[in-house]
Amino acid sequence: MKNDVNIAVLPGDGIGPEVVREALKIIKVIESKLGLTINIDDAPVGGAGYEATGRPLPDASLAMARNADAVLLGAVGGPRWEHIDFSLRPERALLGLRSSLGLYANLRPARIFSALVDASTLKREVVEGLDILVVRELIGGIYFGQPRGVDTLEDGTRRGFNTLVYTEPEIERIARVAFDVAGKRNNSVCSVDKANVLESTNFWREVVTNMHSCYADVTLSHMYVDNCAMQLVRNPKQFDVILTTNMFGDILSDEASMLTGSIGMLPSASLGEKHAMYEPIHGSAPDIAGQELANPLATILSVAMMFKYSLNREQPSAWIEAAVESVLAKGVRTRDIMSRGMKEVGTQAMGDLVAEELEKRRDD
Ligand code: NAD
């Protein structure tokens, strides 16, 4: 394991820089606890990239991301850039980073902290103890397949079309991620498809099943996507790892995230063969930017994922999650997760409190 680590930090827009600043406090604590040298460089992306260079993903920012051991991203976008050409919008930076860095596996955990069980819209008994992980294919499938577009048939009828295509290697590599990660959790993968209707996802099922022969310790089940959408609100605790395609994962992971209460709580990791990027699942929240209202915990928990998946250090990852749990157990809340009887704090205070809790774990 390397003791000298390079992290590229891309704060982005809106609340992005606010939540990233708090995550950096956490990285500093871990650096001193473990005696690591963590080199941090930051660069503009999104609207900030556009303002600096006229492009949402400046070459220098992409180069920095390519050279880093891991990338930490805040969020991009905002009303200021809504009028500009689609190809220059801040959100293009995300697609550019994902495809340029080959980030084919998107990991979105939906874990409920016990102190926040009542923040979910579902009943306590349905979500208490929930800990599932959606593994979504991120750079293939119908969002990228060719041909795509809108055209006009000879009889004048207009039509829109996209192509759902997956190659065997694309399915194998995402399945491998799901099986590997399940091996570090509860050894269970549910592969979600629409094999009864779509040939391409019947093929998905076949390739995932073949791949499973290399993972004797992991249980594999298959589920149609419509059933999975229903099971996620009926009995979400039946799942450990959900493996699925780009579009199904897009939809199911948003559904899974809301089981846990607030969008401000949910981290994510996007992994490729050589690169990895970590970010909260929320956007730049222009409505609360600059007001100390942003919940930094999703970004702090993204740092926990970074230590686990990119820096191969499970312990700091567990420490960070435990520190968050402990702060929440003390009744401290940002406004998005505030409830009666709790103490409301701002973005920076929440970051400070988690950092303090983390410090205490020095002697654990
Ligand atoms: P959003 O996630 O930014 O905000 C949705 C709602 O959740 C808002 O009410 C916001 O105040 C709240 N919220 C979000 N994060 C929060 C946090 N950490 N703490 C407390 N409350 C939080 O989604 P949106 O409003 O649809 O989009 C705003 C901008 O962000 C748009 O430009 C959009 O394109 C962009 N966006 C970027 C990303 C990304 O960078 N990965 C993802 C989604 C949206």
Side-chain angles (χ1 to χ4, degrees):
M1 271 191 297
K2 282 175 33 168
N3 277 333
D4 197 334
V5 174
N6 297 312
I7 299 178
V9 174
L10 310 174
D13 312 313
I15 64 168
E18 300 170 31
V19 292
V20 162
R21 185 187 54 220
E22 302 314 308
L24 290 177
K25 290 178 185 167
I26 302 307
I27 291 176
K28 286 282 161 211
V29 175
I30 299 289
E31 180 179 36
S32 81
K33 277 167 82 75
L34 297 190
L36 300 172
T37 303
I38 302 185
N39 309 300
I40 294 181
D41 282 319
D42 65 273
V45 292
Y50 176 77
E51 296 300 332
T53 67
R55 290 166 57 194
L57 181 55
D59 290 343
S61 304
L62 179 59
M64 181 188 292
R66 267 191 213 286
N67 291 328
D69 294 302
V71 179
L72 178 66
L73 179 91
V76 297
R80 182 170 175 176
W81 302 286
E82 270 166 14
H83 61 282
I84 62 177
D85 187 79
F86 203 72
S87 64
L88 297 174
R89 295 254 179 100
E91 293 78 2
R92 301 298 288 187
L94 293 177
L95 298 178
L97 282 162
R98 286 173 186 168
S99 57
S100 304
L101 300 179
L103 305 176
Y104 62 84
N106 185 220
L107 274 52
R108 282 188 174 195
R111 174 183 167 206
I112 197 151
F113 287 91
S114 14
L116 293 184
V117 168
D118 294 320
S120 173
T121 47
L122 274 76
K123 288 183 192 147
R124 168 178 277 270
E125 59 268 28
V126 175
V127 293
E128 195 164 31
L130 181 80
D131 182 4
I132 64 184
L133 179 71
V134 178
V135 176
R136 165 191 170 195
E137 200 291 325
L138 198 58
I139 54 174
I142 198 164
Y143 289 178
F144 290 86
Q146 296 288 346
R148 60 192 296 160
V150 178
D151 65 6
T152 306
L153 300 175
E154 277 177 12
D155 68 358
T157 308
R158 296 180 71 223
R159 64 170 189 172
F161 52 96
N162 291 87
T163 305
L164 172 51
V165 55
Y166 271 114
T167 64
E168 192 163 16
E170 282 177 325
I171 302 169
E172 284 174 346
R173 68 182 183 180
I174 190 72
R176 204 174 290 122
V177 170
F179 288 126
D180 283 341
V181 80
K184 295 176 185 165
R185 293 170 48 95
N186 293 318
N187 290 307
S188 168
V189 171
C190 178
S191 175
V192 174
D193 58 40
K194 191 70 181 166
N196 50 343
V197 176
L198 300 170
E199 286 82 352
S200 51
T201 70
N202 192 36
F203 179 59
W204 171 283
R205 186 178 284 217
E206 180 190 321
V207 176
V208 170
T209 304
N210 291 343
M211 201 70 204
H212 180 229
S213 58
C214 308
Y215 293 88
D217 295 340
V218 179
T219 308
L220 172 66
S221 59
H222 302 276
M223 193 177 276
Y224 297 138
V225 63
D226 40 352
N227 185 23
C228 183
M230 186 266 281
Q231 295 295 338
L232 271 174
V233 285
R234 192 185 75 88
N235 176 20
K237 284 189 273 186
Q238 71 185 282
F239 298 109
D240 176 21
V241 173
I242 293 176
L243 161 66
T244 193
T245 64
N246 200 344
M247 184 167 72
F248 295 164
D250 191 3
I251 298 163
L252 294 175
S253 63
D254 268 27
E255 186 187 358
S257 74
M258 274 320 293
L259 302 173
T260 69
S262 169
I263 197 167
M265 292 298 302
L266 286 155
S268 79
S270 300
L271 311 176
E273 300 297 348
K274 294 193 193 137
H275 304 284
M277 185 163 81
Y278 299 84
E279 58 181 309
I281 73 159
H282 60 73
S284 58
D287 54 330
I288 57 167
Q291 299 172 48
E292 273 290 288
L293 290 175
N295 183 345
L297 295 179
T299 316
I300 288 173
L301 291 166
S302 300
V303 169
M305 294 188 82
M306 177 189 292
F307 276 102
K308 185 168 180 176
Y309 294 112
S310 277
L311 309 179
N312 295 317
R313 286 175 167 88
E314 298 265 347
Q315 191 179 46
S317 172
W319 278 340
I320 295 168
E321 289 176 2
V324 168
E325 179 92 65
S326 171
V327 168
L328 293 172
K330 288 180 180 162
V332 179
R333 303 279 188 274
T334 43
R335 187 167 299 173
D336 58 311
I337 48 174
M338 185 62 190
S339 58
R340 196 195 301 243
M342 301 292 138
K343 179 174 188 269
E344 187 176 328
V345 297
T347 310
Q348 296 186 53
M350 181 58 98
D352 289 340
L353 287 165
V354 177
E356 273 167 33
E357 272 305 317
L358 200 52
E359 285 281 5
K360 286 189 205 155
R361 291 174 191 267
R362 190 178 293 274
D363 301 317
D364 281 2

